[in-house]
Amino acid sequence: MRVAAVICEYNPFHFGHKKQLEVLKTKYDAVVGIMSGDAVQRGEAAIADKYVRARAAVECGMDAVFSLPFPHCCASAADFARAGVYVADALGADALAFGVEDDFAQVERAAAVTGAPGFRETLDALIKRERNLSYPKAVSRLAGAEAASLLQKPNNILAVEYLHALRGLQSPLKPEPVARDGACASSSSLRTLLREAGRDAFLRALPEGSRRVYGELDGDVFPRDTERLSRALLLLLRGGKTDLSQLYGTGGGLGGRMVRAAAEADSLASLVARCRAAGFTDARVRRAALAVLLDIRREAVHRKPAYTLLLAMNAAGRELLRTLRPALPVVTKPARAAEAGPEVKAAFAAEVRADALLALTAPKPQFGNSLRRSPFVCG
């Protein structure tokens, strides 16, 4: 079977994702997702847990969904991309598919400029010299006008990082760009619709399979919202008992600024707003906040993923699973993860702890019983 992998979040699965899947199905025998867990790359809890989001994807035609495990799922674009490419490669996929918002030749040129020897060192020196310069603005300044324009768009940013990761890992995965359909509502706009217009309007904007899955969720579990952890975060920052020096994303003075901002902030949103003035992006501050809440250490993110978790599959996915010879453990039964060895046991235990805390972001706090979950099987 020729397999395309998509590194994804499906937060939620929408019509743009469905169109991408339809394009890929004309070229490949199977399409699999490498999907974020209960926390996502922009530094938030996903609106629903990973099993729900994976089921929605399979109900809409995805053949199998594997996890991009914690803590890689809530890392910066570069670290997120590197971990996702590693999992896709280890699963034995033939291609890595991703969305682009401009001509792919332009995206490749931007990747060549930003991946050139010495670029990272020059970038770090510029940010250190001009303290109020954010990472995206610094990249744009150094990479030129064309790259600057491209790198203002989220899909392009990740596409460039995927190309960097493919090169850095010397992966044989074929890049498979799919043009994003601008007429389709984005995940971000759908989350805003849910927040501002309510559940019914949100459901009407989803493809049928995704609508059915989300429609089954009751108000106790959906939607999740990271703001529900605001007081816990402020308690940790104000209490001064958390050592921020080894936590992911807190460098460059952000950790100290978060502590100072927490003295006056009354929510996660207000903490982010107060830290933004220092030139840090909202997403970086949120990721650092998650690192405080979930005790995410730098070294944990910089290690390669120790495993991937099977979340959902259909009949084609089941057949694919039988033929896979993955280069990393695939956990199909969470309760038996420890049997895969000490490295997997330790990494999976960290994900279980994170899931238990993120379960508190539901409207009614949940127990976070991730060890009792099992993959959704459709067909």
Side-chain angles (χ1 to χ4, degrees):
M1 298 177 72
R2 297 184 67 248
V3 180
V6 182
I7 301 169
C8 53
E9 295 191 321
Y10 295 152
N11 190 33
F13 190 99
H14 55 61
F15 279 105
H17 298 136
K18 188 170 176 60
K19 288 191 175 183
Q20 180 192 58
L21 185 57
E22 289 168 350
V23 169
L24 295 173
K25 287 286 185 107
T26 66
K27 301 179 179 181
Y28 296 90
D29 302 309
V31 183
V32 301
I34 314 297
M35 194 191 76
S36 294
D38 289 358
V40 295
Q41 197 265 326
R42 65 196 309 270
E44 294 180 339
I47 58 171
D49 75 49
K50 52 183 173 265
Y51 284 95
V52 169
R53 289 161 31 241
R55 178 185 174 187
V58 169
E59 293 279 14
C60 288
M62 181 69 72
D63 295 305
V65 180
F66 300 87
S67 72
L68 179 57
F70 174 84
H72 306 89
C73 56
C74 50
S76 69
D79 292 330
F80 175 91
R82 190 180 307 111
V85 168
Y86 176 79
V87 173
D89 199 2
L91 286 174
D94 299 286
L96 180 72
F98 47 84
V100 292
E101 297 171 85
D102 291 278
D103 181 75
F104 184 55
Q106 293 178 291
V107 174
E108 287 183 302
R109 285 197 294 271
V113 171
T114 57
F119 182 88
R120 176 68 64 176
E121 291 75 13
T122 304
L123 177 70
D124 291 342
L126 176 61
I127 292 173
K128 186 175 182 180
R129 185 170 66 249
E130 300 189 27
R131 293 181 179 274
N132 288 334
L133 189 66
S134 69
Y135 175 83
K137 289 181 179 178
V139 171
S140 296
R141 184 183 296 184
L142 293 176
E146 180 180 87
S149 175
L150 289 169
L151 294 174
Q152 297 300 314
K153 302 171 184 177
N155 281 273
N156 289 344
I157 292 171
L158 279 172
V160 165
E161 294 298 348
Y162 293 144
L163 293 175
H164 288 169
L166 288 168
R167 186 181 305 113
L169 294 171
Q170 298 183 319
S171 171
L173 289 167
K174 174 192 172 186
E176 188 67 71
V178 179
R180 182 182 179 275
D181 187 342
C184 295
S186 67
S187 292
S188 178
S189 66
L190 288 170
R191 293 192 299 272
T192 300
L193 180 68
L194 174 63
R195 185 171 58 251
E196 296 180 353
R199 182 189 183 100
D200 289 344
F202 169 79
L203 292 175
R204 287 195 296 270
L206 299 179
E208 197 274 329
S210 189
R211 183 188 314 124
R212 182 170 58 255
V213 172
Y214 283 96
E216 292 176 359
L217 302 179
D218 64 39
D220 287 348
V221 302
F222 175 79
R224 293 183 170 198
D225 186 345
T226 321
E227 283 293 337
R228 296 189 175 101
L229 297 179
S230 288
R231 291 187 178 184
L233 173 64
L234 295 175
L235 174 68
L236 290 170
L237 291 173
R238 291 184 184 184
K241 294 182 180 179
T242 300
D243 179 9
L244 304 185
S245 64
Q246 300 302 312
L247 295 183
Y248 180 75
T250 59
L254 177 56
R257 184 166 183 86
M258 290 172 66
V259 170
R260 293 189 294 273
E264 298 181 354
D266 60 3
S267 66
L268 174 58
S270 64
L271 180 81
V272 170
R274 289 172 188 276
C275 292
R276 184 190 306 139
F280 300 110
T281 64
D282 287 8
R284 179 173 172 186
V285 179
R286 289 193 299 265
R287 284 193 293 269
L290 277 188
V292 173
L293 284 164
L294 304 177
D295 192 32
I296 301 173
R297 305 296 172 124
R298 292 191 188 97
E299 64 269 17
V301 178
H302 295 153
R303 286 194 293 265
K304 293 177 180 178
Y307 66 94
T308 184
L309 185 65
L310 176 65
L311 300 172
M313 61 183 173
N314 61 15
R318 191 188 299 112
E319 179 62 28
L320 174 64
L321 195 64
R322 280 197 284 264
T323 63
L324 276 181
R325 297 294 182 269
L328 85 169
V330 176
V331 176
T332 57
K333 296 181 179 179
R336 298 175 61 182
E339 297 175 10
E343 185 181 4
V344 174
K345 180 180 179 180
F348 190 70
E351 178 156 353
V352 170
R353 290 193 297 271
D355 288 353
L357 181 58
L358 292 168
L360 299 176
T361 64
K364 181 178 178 180
Q366 304 298 303
F367 294 106
N369 58 344
S370 54
L371 285 174
R372 301 179 185 177
R373 305 298 291 271
S374 57
F376 170 77
V377 180
C378 172

